[in-house]
Structures are given as C-alpha cells and as structure tokens.
C-alpha cells in the first residue's frame, strides 16, 4: 500500500465529434445534439468548477474539437491545465492501416499549432490500439499514454515499444460516461465514484477520474457537476494530491 495518494482529474473534450465522424454535421440537431452542449456551456462550467477547486487537470483534445473551442482551449491553458491529445477526428485507429502514423502525426501537429506546445500525452477511447500505436506515439515524442484499463496503477510501456513512456490507466468506474450512459441519477453515480475511488486510493494510491462536458453522458449539467465537486472534496479530505498527467509522468521518470 502506498502512503502517497494521487488523483488525476482528466477531461475528454468531446462535443459533436463522435457523431460527426459518421454523420453529416448538419444532421446533428435536436435530440442528436447532446454534444453541442459542450460548446454552449458544458465545458465552460467544468473549467469554472476546476478554478473554484484550485485543481489543474489534463484535458484530452481531439484536434476536431480544439479547433471549435479555441477560446475555451486558451482559457484552459491560462488556468494552468494540460492540453493532451485525443487524436485527430475520432478515427478508428485499427481501420487506418499504413495511414495510422500520418493521422497521429497530424493530430499532434494540429494541437501543437493551437497551443504552442507539443502534447506530452495521448488518450484514445475508440477501438483497441494496433501493434504499431505505442511505437508511433514514442516516435512522435509522447511521454505517456492514458488509454488503457488493464491495470489499477501506472506502468512502463517499454515492452510495448515505448521506452521511457508510462501508461496512466483510467478506470471505467471513475468515468462519468460509464454511469450516465445508463441514465443513472447523479446520486447513484456519486456512490459508484466513491466506492471505486476509495478502493483505488487505498490499494495503490492512484486514481484517475475521467469526465466529459457533454449533456448526455457527461457532467456539464449543473446538478451532476455538484457531485463531482463533492467527490473532489472527499479525495482532498482523504489526503490526496491532484496532479496533471504530465506532472505524474515526469515524477515517475525522475524517480527512475
């Protein structure tokens, strides 16, 4: 059991991108427009909450969304949040074949152009990685990945073709979409978060909270976000420190 407790607060910045990858944007209105909530207030509300809590988070940006949220992207950088990559435009990596490296490089370069700094981390929440993915991320200069759910605690990626890289796994139980996609109440989602977070911090001293600013499966709505604040205050009271993914990756690298 670790004496240190570290919580990563991560945000998958997803608006209409998941739907726009397979449907015309012009069709995403009405009941099919949950992602537009991100642009109209959901993301701004999450940033306001993080500012109140004094927490620096890691925001995973698909280039598609970063270009639609430039003002909020810039606000997140002013607030000290990390801008990491979530790919280009919700492509299926497994279907790209020899174009995978080109797409990953384009995503990195587009986000770098918007932020002025190359992203240090990557997260993919679509289909599985290919055998080429980690070596490609390493070649592109990434220091960590945060796509896996195959462990409770960080681990090295050298055996997967990423020497010097670290995996910072996320937990489905600490992800808003896991619960809200099943239409549970915010009280019930909070109960799940507490059980999962308390257990992870007790076992390995590490927990990764994953949020979305959307209206359907995310926490952009005010009532849901209140429960997130309650959870963060619980973690703080338990002695947990909040870090960005890049900071934790750098700390592990320095420790050897």
């Amino acid at each position: 059991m670790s004496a240190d407790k570290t919580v990563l607060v991560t945000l998958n910045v997803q608006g209409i991108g998941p739907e726009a990858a397979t449907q015309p944007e012009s069709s995403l209105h009405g009941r099919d427009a949950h992602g537009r909530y991100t642009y109209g207030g959901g993301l701004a509300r999450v940033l306001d909450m993080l500012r109140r809590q004094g927490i620096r988070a890691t925001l995973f940006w698909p280039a598609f969304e970063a270009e639609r949220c430039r003002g909020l992207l810039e606000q997140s950088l002013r607030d000290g949040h990390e801008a990491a990559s979530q790919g280009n435009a919700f492509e299926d990596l497994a279907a790209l074949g020899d174009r995978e490296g080109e797409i990953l490089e384009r995503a990195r370069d587009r986000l770098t152009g918007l932020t002025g700094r190359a992203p240090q981390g990557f997260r993919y929440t679509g289909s599985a990685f290919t055998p080429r993915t980690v070596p490609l991320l390493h070649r592109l200069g990434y220091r960590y990945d945060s796509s896996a759910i195959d462990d409770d605690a960080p681990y090295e990626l050298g055996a997967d073709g990423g020497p010097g890289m670290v995996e910072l796994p996320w937990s489905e139980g600490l992800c808003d979409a896991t619960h809200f996609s099943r239409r549970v109440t915010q009280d019930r989602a909070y109960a799940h978060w507490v059980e999962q977070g308390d257990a992870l911090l007790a076992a390995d001293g590490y927990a990764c909270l994953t949020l979305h600013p959307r209206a359907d499966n995310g926490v952009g709505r005010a009532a849901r976000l209140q429960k997130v604040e309650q959870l963060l205050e619980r973690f703080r009271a338990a002695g947990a420190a909040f870090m960005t993914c890049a900071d934790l990756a750098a700390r592990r690298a320095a420790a050897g």
Side-chain angles (χ1 to χ4, degrees):
M1 181 181 299
S2 172
D4 297 325
K5 296 180 180 179
T6 299
V7 173
L8 304 180
V9 179
T10 67
L11 185 68
N12 294 338
V13 185
Q14 297 178 3
I16 65 170
E19 289 81 12
T22 58
Q23 303 174 53
E25 289 189 43
S26 59
S27 69
L28 301 177
H29 295 282
R31 293 183 62 84
D32 293 325
H34 288 296
R36 293 189 184 278
Y37 195 84
T38 294
Y39 316 139
L43 179 53
R45 183 176 284 142
V46 175
L47 292 177
D48 287 344
M49 180 276 292
L50 292 170
R51 198 176 304 117
R52 284 195 302 273
Q53 290 289 329
I55 291 172
R56 293 168 57 242
T58 298
L59 278 62
F60 288 93
W61 292 92
F64 175 96
E65 303 292 9
E67 291 178 344
R68 283 162 173 74
C69 299
R70 294 192 184 194
L72 291 169
L73 170 60
E74 292 169 0
Q75 180 62 59
S76 73
L77 296 174
R78 288 194 297 271
D79 288 347
H81 301 303
E82 176 192 359
S85 176
Q86 199 170 39
N88 197 57
F90 299 91
E91 298 90 356
D92 180 355
L93 292 181
L96 293 176
D98 293 339
R99 296 182 60 239
E100 183 180 0
E102 171 194 341
I103 295 299
L104 290 174
E105 184 172 4
R106 184 187 306 170
R108 182 203 61 182
D109 291 349
R110 288 171 73 185
L111 189 59
T112 300
L114 291 168
T115 65
R117 181 179 181 183
Q120 298 184 57
F122 183 83
R123 172 178 284 172
Y124 185 61
T125 58
S127 63
F129 274 10
T130 74
R132 298 181 296 270
T133 305
V134 171
L136 286 170
L137 294 175
H138 178 260
R139 179 175 65 79
L140 291 171
Y142 285 100
R143 299 181 62 182
Y144 72 86
D145 176 71
S146 184
S147 306
I149 56 172
D150 57 2
D151 206 322
D152 290 333
Y155 58 89
E156 307 304 316
L157 283 171
D160 298 296
M165 292 181 64
V166 64
E167 180 66 38
L168 303 177
W170 62 284
S171 166
E172 286 188 315
L174 277 178
C175 176
D176 53 3
T178 300
H179 309 296
F180 293 128
S181 63
R182 299 169 182 166
R183 299 297 187 265
V184 304
T185 66
Q186 49 262 19
D187 285 337
R188 186 57 185 152
Y190 176 76
H192 283 295
W193 292 336
V194 165
E195 291 172 358
Q196 186 78 356
D198 286 357
L200 287 170
L201 290 175
D204 292 292
Y206 168 87
C208 180
L209 178 64
T210 301
L211 307 174
H212 299 76
R214 289 171 55 109
D216 52 351
N217 62 3
V219 294
R221 295 192 181 278
R224 293 178 178 179
L225 206 53
Q226 288 176 354
K227 290 298 181 181
V228 175
E229 288 204 73
Q230 188 176 341
L231 181 70
L232 296 175
E233 290 164 358
R234 179 186 180 90
F235 288 156
R236 182 178 283 115
F242 298 99
M243 302 182 69
T244 66
C245 293
D247 286 344
L248 179 57
R251 185 174 76 174
R252 288 180 60 90

